[in-house]
Amino acid sequence: MLFELRGLSWSTNKRMLSILICIICCIHSGKSQTCTDGFTYDRRARQCIDIDECRTLPDPCRGDMQCVNQNGGYLCIPRGLYSQSYARNSPRSYPEPSYPEESYPDRSLGYSEPFIPNVPPVGAGPGPGPGPSYPIVSRSTPCILGYTLGADGTCIDVDECEAESHQCNPTQVCINTAGGYTCSCTEGYWLVGGQCQDVDECRYGYCQQLCANVPGSYSCSCSPGFLLNADSRTCQDVDECETNPCSHGCLNTYGSFMCTCDEGFELASDGTTCNDLDECSFSDFLCQHTCVNTPGSFSCICPPGYYVYEDGRSCEDLNECESGNNTCTTAQVCFNFQGGYTCLDPLRCNPPYIELSDNQCMCSAENPACREQPFTILYRHMDLSSGRSVPADIFQMQATTRYPGAFYIFQIKSGNEGREFYMRQTSNISATLVLARPIKGPKTIVLDLEMVTVNNVINFRGSSIIRLTVFVSEHPF
């Protein structure tokens, strides 16, 4: 009896141990199967199937957004953009797939043939339209999801993009992958909220100067004065001076150019041509006499009898007597004055005067005819500029011989009818001729300047004359 109980106990323990090992193997086999996000492992089909989040998640999209299930995920897009080419009519209810127990043989005995679950075909169910996106398999198709049996009996990848069985929305691009596909955006777009939106490349400084964003791309351009380089992004300066845009000189600058003008010219309003400067209009004192404008410069000219001085502006008298450029005879004396010359004839003394020297006549005291006449007449010549400022001291005379007890009186005896001159005595033996009024030339004035000698000790009174010829020039300088 005891043996039987012990035998019963051992048999019972053996059966419980077998059940425990089977449970551990099942649990371990279940834990070893993992799927990526968006998929779940079907233990009966022994493969990962897509999770339809639009059906399983409560209110996956908010507002006026339509939920579109995708392989491994879902999208929320505006209902206005939702098209029938890739959408499912909503709301629809799809029946849960049923897997009859009897279609699965006893796993403890192994598989006599490849096991394929009995999955209802697409379109099965009470509702209209396509059924859920479960893989359609059969006992004759031993390939995993995303592959199909080829003619040679091997599994080949299904190109969902070419077959248009993908669920990418119209703004996306389908890219086939091994066993599936991905939805991406073309270059120049990025995925925002399930939609491909244009990337504004201009915000990231792709262009050196000017940038214009276009759908899916961008376009670079340059400011005036620059040229787009071969890289279509950077700009290089254009040397406008190579085309000779300026009438005189050209200076290239960064992005532009600047025209320069030669001395004596100024830049016109168009910025390229040069106009002559009229230097003569700047000042009346640029030249001493006459200013003549020339292209890019000016020149000063002088009246006849003058020449332009070394400074190019002043006028100097041309001494025709020294240069020989005169018409005087050998018997005559050439006298130069401002702006001209004159030929003086040899001195001739009128009786009762006799010639004392080449410029002086004397009337002898022994000659009764000379008693009321000046003792001597001295001939002098001078030139005077027209318009000379007044008053001006122009000539000085003085006694050459002094007698004890004598004093001298200086006066203008003749030639001063216009009262342009007067005598100012500077000492008891000298006096100065003063120009009191301006005289306009050309004009010749002959003045008799008298010096009266008075000696009361010997009761003597006599006089001498300086006959001064003044040549007033025509041009005031």
Side-chain angles (χ1 to χ4, degrees):
M1 188 69 178
L2 179 61
F3 177 78
E4 290 178 357
L5 290 173
R6 290 179 178 177
L8 180 61
S9 175
W10 167 251
S11 176
T12 303
N13 292 338
K14 182 178 180 181
R15 184 172 298 176
M16 291 179 63
L17 181 61
S18 298
I19 294 173
L20 179 61
I21 292 173
C22 182
I23 292 173
I24 292 174
C25 291
C26 292
I27 294 174
H28 181 73
S29 175
K31 287 184 178 180
S32 63
Q33 300 293 332
T34 59
C35 300
T36 59
D37 293 340
F39 294 87
T40 183
Y41 183 73
D42 189 335
R43 295 178 57 190
R44 293 182 178 181
R46 289 188 173 184
Q47 61 184 1
C48 295
I49 62 174
D50 175 58
I51 299 175
D52 190 352
E53 293 86 355
C54 297
R55 295 177 57 210
T56 59
L57 296 178
D59 194 17
C61 298
R62 300 183 181 276
D64 192 24
M65 302 295 286
Q66 174 68 45
C67 178
V68 177
N69 185 58
Q70 287 191 314
N71 192 25
Y74 69 97
L75 290 176
C76 294
I77 63 174
R79 294 182 183 274
L81 298 178
Y82 189 62
S83 63
Q84 294 298 327
S85 60
Y86 65 94
R88 295 173 179 169
N89 294 329
S90 179
R92 287 180 182 176
S93 60
Y94 303 103
E96 290 291 336
S98 60
Y99 305 99
E101 290 293 335
E102 60 274 7
S103 62
Y104 298 92
D106 187 2
R107 293 172 183 165
S108 61
L109 301 177
Y111 294 99
S112 59
E113 60 179 350
F115 169 72
I116 303 298
N118 185 17
V119 182
V122 177
S133 58
Y134 295 114
I136 302 174
V137 295
S138 65
R139 294 183 180 272
S140 62
T141 309
C143 297
I144 63 174
L145 184 67
Y147 291 85
T148 185
L149 190 65
D152 58 354
T154 60
C155 294
I156 60 175
D157 176 56
V158 176
D159 191 344
E160 295 86 354
C161 300
E162 183 178 357
E164 296 185 356
S165 60
H166 60 85
Q167 294 183 358
C168 299
N169 65 49
T171 65
Q172 295 176 327
V173 177
C174 177
I175 301 175
N176 186 60
T177 60
Y181 64 92
T182 60
C183 299
S184 182
C185 296
T186 59
E187 185 178 1
Y189 294 85
W190 54 12
L191 191 64
V192 178
Q195 299 293 317
C196 291
Q197 296 186 6
D198 176 53
V199 177
D200 187 0
E201 295 86 352
C202 296
R203 296 178 56 187
Y204 303 99
Y206 288 172
C207 300
Q208 183 180 7
Q209 290 187 1
L210 305 179
C211 181
N213 186 58
V214 295
S217 184
Y218 64 97
S219 175
C220 295
S221 60
C222 299
S223 303
F226 293 89
L227 185 66
L228 193 64
N229 287 322
D231 60 3
S232 299
R233 293 180 59 186
T234 59
C235 300
Q236 65 176 354
D237 176 54
V238 176
D239 189 357
E240 296 86 353
C241 295
E242 293 182 352
T243 60
N244 299 320
C246 305
S247 59
H248 283 189
C250 180
L251 179 63
N252 185 59
T253 60
Y254 189 69
S256 184
F257 68 97
M258 180 169 48
C259 294
T260 59
C261 297
D262 298 338
E263 185 178 1
F265 293 86
E266 63 179 350
L267 199 63
S269 58
D270 60 3
T272 58
T273 58
C274 295
N275 294 332
D276 175 53
L277 280 175
D278 186 2
E279 295 89 351
C280 298
S281 63
F282 294 163
S283 173
D284 294 334
F285 304 100
L286 196 60
C287 295
Q288 187 176 8
H289 185 250
T290 303
C291 179
V292 177
N293 185 60
T294 58
S297 183
F298 69 97
S299 62
C300 296
I301 60 174
C302 298
Y306 296 87
Y307 69 93
V308 181
Y309 194 57
E310 295 175 354
D311 60 3
R313 301 186 180 188
S314 305
C315 291
E316 283 290 318
D317 174 56
L318 178 62
N319 194 331
E320 296 87 351
C321 298
E322 290 184 356
S323 65
N325 188 22
N326 59 78
T327 59
C328 298
T329 64
T330 56
Q332 294 176 320
V333 176
C334 180
F335 178 78
N336 184 73
F337 57 85
Q338 293 290 322
Y341 70 98
T342 185
C343 296
L344 302 177
D345 293 326
L347 180 63
R348 292 180 181 180
C349 299
N350 297 323
Y353 287 90
I354 60 175
E355 184 177 344
L356 184 62
S357 64
D358 57 355
N359 65 341
Q360 188 174 14
C361 295
M362 182 184 69
C363 195
S364 177
E366 287 106 11
N367 190 344
C370 295
R371 187 170 295 179
E372 300 296 330
Q373 299 294 329
F375 179 64
T376 58
I377 299 176
L378 181 64
Y379 291 86
R380 287 282 187 263
H381 304 83
M382 69 169 293
D383 63 314
L384 184 65
S385 298
S386 179
R388 183 170 177 178
S389 59
V390 293
D393 297 344
I394 61 173
F395 188 79
Q396 187 175 10
M397 61 183 301
Q398 67 178 13
T400 57
T401 304
R402 300 181 62 181
Y403 299 98
F407 64 92
Y408 304 92
I409 300 173
F410 299 91
Q411 59 186 4
I412 301 175
K413 189 174 183 180
S414 63
N416 192 25
E417 290 77 11
R419 294 188 167 289
E420 294 95 349
F421 307 92
Y422 69 88
M423 294 293 295
R424 184 181 75 247
Q425 191 159 345
T426 55
S427 70
N428 60 341
I429 61 170
S430 63
T432 299
L433 178 65
V434 180
L435 176 65
R437 295 179 182 178
I439 301 176
K440 185 177 181 181
K443 191 175 185 180
T444 301
I445 302 173
V446 179
L447 298 174
D448 279 354
L449 307 179
E450 183 180 34
M451 181 185 67
V452 179
T453 303
V454 180
N455 193 334
N456 293 326
V457 176
I458 60 174
N459 195 20
F460 173 80
R461 183 182 179 89
S463 66
S464 296
I465 294 292
I466 295 180
R467 186 157 290 168
L468 179 63
T469 302
V470 180
F471 297 98
V472 181
S473 62
E474 179 180 2
H475 302 282
F477 293 112

